[in-house]
Amino acid sequence: MDHNNFTGTIPVSMGRLHRLQMLDLSSNRFSGQIPTSIGNFTELNELYLQENSLLGNIPPSLGNCQKLIALNLSQNNLNGTIPKQLLSLSSLSISLNLARNFLIGSLPMEVGGLKNIGELDVSENKLSGEIPGTLGSCQSLERLYMEGNAFQGTIPQSLNTMRGLGDLDFSRNNLSGLIPKYLENFTSLQKLNLSFNDFEGQVPVQGVFENASGISVIGNSKLCGGIPKLGLPKCLVLRSKSRRFLNLKVIIPVIVVAVCLILLLLCFALLRRRKSRQKHLHTSSSEDRYKNFSYAELLKATDGFSSHNLIGVGSYGSVYKGYFVSDGQIVAVKVLNLQRQGASRSFLAECEALRNVRHRNLIKVLASCSSIDFKGNDFKALVLQYMPNGSLEEWLHPKTDKEDLPRSLNLTQRLNIAIDVAYALDFHHHCQTPISHCDLKPSNILLDNDMVTHVSDFGITRFLSMAVDDNSTNKTNSISVKGSIGYVAPEYGMGGNVSTLGDMYSYGILLLEMFTGKRPTENMFKDGLSLREFVKMALPNRVLDIVDLQLLKQQKEEHKQEQEQGIEEEIAFNHINIHEDERESVLGCLVSVLGIGVACSAESPRERMQMKAVVNQMQVIRDNFLGVGMHREGCYKSLS
């Protein structure tokens, strides 16, 4: 019954089919949980439920299927931990595929019970912990995929017995330590992906490591050596023993002096603690120094909130560039739009909580200010890190009246920005207390010197609602700010509650705008035509008719540079001369990205993609476009 349009839940009564030997419900639209009655299939050999919308935990009752040789639950929305009972099925000999779900926890030690398994795929989940040493007992394994999780620690030495491996993927985890040298002896190993971890030390040079096209170690900044084609730095040569002894004679006295100085400094610090709290704060770290500011300090830093320091105006207030003469610090000061009497005590506490949030793709809150201005009005502001490259809005829609040369983003840069925004949303959506952004749009996406994306205004809606609730009896105002026209989820306009699914809609619209160059509020979008419908009607055959012309021009410029390096073969491609291979790569990338944008911006919240799935698919799209992905054929059929 695979590859149909069946919907609804899998009937519990199906568990009555005690003599069933194979069941294939894959590539349908089934939802709900996998019924526990499926454990009644004691004669079952093969079970395929992949590519549906199944929810909940994997039922432990599957451990009753003692004759099961192949199980595929991939590309669903399953969560919870991997049941130990499942990994105790020694009958599994062909494949166990749990990829692209939302499974958490560690990979249980019972995985060593799969002694006859040929393929194990737990990739693209949220698994963590160390790789269990018992995995080395799976000596029949030929394909092992664990990429796209949060595994940490080193690759266990016990895996040296898995000599039959032909394909091994540990990429995009948090693994560390040395790359095991025993992998050189895996004669069957054809593909090895260790990219985007934290491995260090020398890369082996024999076995699979001799083939640059068969391995990937990018994204590990501490690696060295390997074959020349990898382009890694040379490893430092260890010094001789005599040289080390000589160094010790110098180092030991230095250490003794340093310890004495530290003790003296500690005594000095104890004396300083008796002085006033103000002086203590003055000598603290630079980060603590920017804990609070007064209205007068921010007024001076922004030259009286002058118009020439105005960076932008948004739903929540105005942003000014600030400069502190005392230490040369450049900051961005967001003055919140609050003109009400009375201070909100909870505001400073919440600002302190946001100040402690750390993520590469979130704007850093340096300080806060809750004070009274010179007119006696409530004044609240956030002091943020300054982003030299401005906002995404300025890059997508540059102003023609500026003296600067117009700036544009190429396809790779736009992919990186989209993935960074997805990372930021996923981080906040999966916090212990999920936080919705409520106003995701290009002007709230900022770029630093290295073009790394930083999403701003996360949690501002919560701050504003608390400030209003403290100072007013009109509670409806506390939820009045739910987004900007064109980006706000349709359910908010009908009084719906704020949720992370609203952010998914905004992200989808943002994605469509990034790659078409059209705002959702342009005059052409009227009489039932929206940006989403505009893109949807063009997919997949007319994508090049709607793509941002600036993006295509960038591809043309990059192609010219390639031509100068000796590339000759080219074809005409929608007013751009690029290669056939590049044409397919660009076109496939655009179709996939815009398809995700359409899926995220669905009218019904239930039909929108989950952010975890967006992050995974966007990474695959980028890797395939850049040619660094090592994903096996057919693993991502949904992108085609």
Side-chain angles (χ1 to χ4, degrees):
M1 293 182 282
D2 58 301
H3 290 83
N4 287 286
N5 287 311
F6 293 126
T7 60
T9 59
I10 299 175
V12 176
S13 56
M14 189 171 284
R16 299 175 183 173
L17 306 176
H18 299 289
R19 299 179 63 183
L20 197 65
Q21 294 183 6
M22 195 270 279
L23 175 62
D24 191 345
L25 302 177
S26 63
S27 300
N28 281 289
R29 297 164 59 190
F30 285 113
S31 57
Q33 298 188 349
I34 301 174
T36 57
S37 61
I38 213 161
N40 296 336
F41 296 154
T42 54
E43 299 295 320
L44 195 67
N45 299 136
E46 302 172 59
L47 176 60
Y48 304 103
L49 302 178
Q50 70 269 24
E51 296 183 46
N52 282 287
S53 298
L54 299 172
L55 303 167
N57 298 335
I58 299 174
S61 59
L62 277 170
N64 298 330
C65 304
Q66 296 291 322
K67 296 185 179 180
L68 199 63
I69 61 174
L71 173 63
N72 195 335
L73 304 179
S74 65
Q75 300 185 55
N76 281 287
N77 296 314
L78 301 173
N79 53 34
T81 59
I82 300 176
K84 299 177 180 179
Q85 295 88 338
L86 177 61
L87 299 181
S88 300
L89 285 175
S90 57
S91 59
L92 282 170
S93 56
I94 296 179
S95 172
L96 172 60
N97 193 337
L98 307 178
R100 299 185 65 194
N101 282 288
F102 299 91
L103 302 174
I104 61 173
S106 60
L107 183 61
M109 301 290 288
E110 284 75 9
V111 70
L114 304 177
K115 298 182 184 299
N116 303 310
I117 195 76
E119 178 185 66
L120 175 61
D121 192 344
V122 294
S123 62
E124 310 298 344
N125 280 285
K126 300 173 69 175
L127 298 172
S128 57
E130 296 188 353
I131 299 174
T134 54
L135 190 60
S137 300
C138 305
Q139 297 184 20
S140 297
L141 258 179
E142 297 178 2
R143 297 170 299 280
L144 175 59
Y145 307 114
M146 300 178 68
E147 72 269 19
N149 285 285
F151 289 113
Q152 60 190 36
T154 60
I155 299 178
Q157 181 65 26
S158 59
L159 269 57
N160 65 351
T161 58
M162 300 163 59
R163 300 297 177 91
L165 276 175
D167 201 346
L168 176 61
D169 197 335
F170 283 149
S171 63
R172 289 181 289 117
N173 281 286
N174 299 317
L175 299 172
S176 57
L178 301 175
I179 296 177
K181 196 170 177 59
Y182 61 71
L183 292 174
E184 290 181 320
N185 302 322
F186 284 21
T187 55
S188 300
L189 194 56
Q190 299 297 316
K191 289 186 178 180
L192 173 64
N193 195 346
L194 304 176
S195 58
F196 299 103
N197 281 284
D198 195 27
F199 290 115
E200 61 185 46
Q202 186 170 7
V203 176
V205 294
Q206 297 182 7
V208 69
F209 297 97
E210 295 177 319
N211 180 13
S213 62
I215 66 169
S216 178
V217 293
I218 63 172
N220 293 276
S221 59
K222 301 175 185 177
L223 288 177
C224 63
I227 60 175
K229 287 185 178 180
L230 296 180
L232 296 174
K234 293 183 178 180
C235 298
L236 296 176
V237 180
L238 294 176
R239 298 175 180 179
S240 64
K241 292 184 178 180
S242 59
R243 183 70 180 273
R244 291 202 300 268
F245 285 132
L246 182 61
N247 286 341
L248 286 176
K249 293 180 180 179
V250 177
I251 292 172
I252 291 176
V254 172
I255 293 175
V256 172
V257 173
V259 171
C260 293
L261 287 174
I262 291 171
L263 291 175
L264 288 174
L265 288 174
L266 288 175
C267 294
F268 180 71
L270 290 173
L271 293 174
R272 292 281 289 177
R273 289 184 62 183
R274 298 179 181 179
K275 296 186 178 182
S276 65
R277 180 175 180 272
Q278 183 178 1
K279 290 183 179 179
H280 170 71
L281 289 175
H282 183 70
T283 58
S284 63
S285 68
S286 60
E287 183 173 338
D288 289 336
R289 184 180 179 281
Y290 292 107
K291 188 172 184 180
N292 305 109
F293 285 103
S294 66
Y295 172 79
E297 287 176 301
L298 297 184
L299 188 71
K300 181 179 179 181
T302 58
D303 195 17
F305 300 108
S306 63
S307 58
H308 72 268
N309 277 331
L310 183 65
I311 300 175
V313 179
S315 306
Y316 302 132
S318 304
V319 184
Y320 299 85
K321 183 178 179 180
Y323 176 76
F324 293 104
V325 180
S326 59
D327 60 358
Q329 175 85 346
I330 299 176
V331 297
V333 180
K334 178 180 282 292
V335 180
L336 300 183
N337 186 17
L338 287 174
Q339 297 298 328
R340 291 179 173 82
Q341 296 293 329
S344 169
R345 292 184 177 180
S346 59
F347 175 79
L348 287 178
E350 290 297 325
C351 286
E352 179 65 15
L354 188 56
R355 202 171 70 92
N356 290 324
V357 173
R358 294 288 184 270
H359 190 277
R360 176 178 181 266
N361 301 121
L362 291 177
I363 196 77
K364 185 177 179 182
V365 178
L366 301 176
S368 59
C369 175
S370 181
S371 183
I372 304 295
D373 64 16
F374 293 159
K375 296 180 181 180
N377 294 319
D378 230 8
F379 177 84
K380 289 179 172 62
L382 296 174
V383 180
L384 313 169
Q385 63 183 134
Y386 178 69
M387 295 285 111
N389 272 317
S391 69
L392 180 60
E393 171 79 15
E394 298 166 10
W395 286 82
L396 294 179
H397 312 289
K399 295 182 180 178
T400 55
D401 57 346
K402 282 196 172 183
E403 296 182 359
D404 300 354
L405 292 173
R407 302 180 294 183
S408 59
L409 299 166
N410 62 28
L411 182 53
T412 303
Q413 288 174 317
R414 298 186 197 216
L415 288 171
N416 288 336
I417 292 171
I419 291 172
D420 283 349
V421 174
Y423 275 139
L425 289 172
D426 187 53
F427 173 79
H428 264 303
H429 287 180
H430 291 91
C431 289
Q432 187 173 4
T433 303
I435 301 175
S436 300
H437 189 287
C438 297
D439 196 25
L440 187 68
K441 56 184 178 180
S443 59
N444 282 334
I445 297 168
L446 308 177
L447 303 168
D448 64 17
N449 264 325
D450 299 320
M451 296 298 287
V452 175
T453 308
H454 300 260
V455 179
S456 67
D457 280 1
F458 244 117
I460 301 297
T461 301
R462 183 178 178 186
F463 292 164
L464 290 178
S465 67
M466 287 188 302
V468 172
D469 288 347
D470 272 12
N471 306 317
S472 172
T473 57
N474 185 6
K475 301 296 183 183
T476 59
N477 289 334
S478 67
I479 58 170
S480 60
V481 182
K482 286 185 179 177
S484 300
I485 296 175
Y487 304 91
V488 62
E491 63 267 22
Y492 289 176
M494 296 180 286
N497 293 327
V498 171
S499 72
T500 56
L501 292 175
D503 284 353
M504 292 306 306
Y505 179 90
S506 302
Y507 179 84
I509 297 298
L510 172 71
L511 211 55
L512 300 181
E513 181 177 357
M514 285 179 62
F515 290 86
T516 64
K518 299 186 184 299
R519 293 187 177 95
T521 54
E522 291 193 10
N523 293 333
M524 66 177 292
F525 299 128
K526 56 184 178 180
D527 300 329
L529 179 65
S530 63
L531 174 58
R532 181 177 186 270
E533 290 301 315
F534 174 72
V535 174
K536 188 176 180 181
M537 289 188 297
L539 286 174
N541 299 322
R542 293 190 300 106
V543 165
L544 293 176
D545 295 337
I546 65 170
V547 171
D548 186 2
L549 290 178
Q550 291 299 322
L551 187 154
L552 296 179
K553 288 179 181 178
Q554 283 290 102
Q555 289 300 122
K556 180 179 179 180
E557 289 300 319
E558 291 176 6
H559 172 65
K560 284 184 178 179
Q561 294 176 5
E562 290 178 349
Q563 271 191 318
E564 292 173 359
Q565 297 172 4
I567 300 173
E568 298 177 356
E569 182 186 359
E570 55 185 40
I571 64 169
F573 180 50
N574 210 47
H575 308 298
I576 310 173
N577 293 327
I578 64 176
H579 306 134
E580 178 66 26
D581 290 343
E582 187 178 358
R583 173 189 182 279
E584 294 302 323
S585 177
V586 172
L587 185 59
C589 176
L590 292 173
V591 170
S592 299
V593 171
L594 292 174
I596 291 176
V598 169
C600 289
S601 56
E603 181 116 358
S604 171
R606 293 184 178 181
E607 294 177 5
R608 295 170 197 160
M609 292 180 66
Q610 295 290 327
M611 186 49 69
K612 173 68 174 178
V614 170
V615 170
N616 292 338
Q617 291 198 20
M618 288 296 294
Q619 285 179 325
V620 172
I621 293 170
R622 180 182 62 184
D623 288 354
N624 288 340
F625 174 70
L626 296 177
V628 299
M630 297 186 65
H631 302 281
R632 55 246 174 241
E633 183 179 359
C635 182
Y636 298 104
K637 291 189 289 184
S638 62
L639 297 179
S640 60

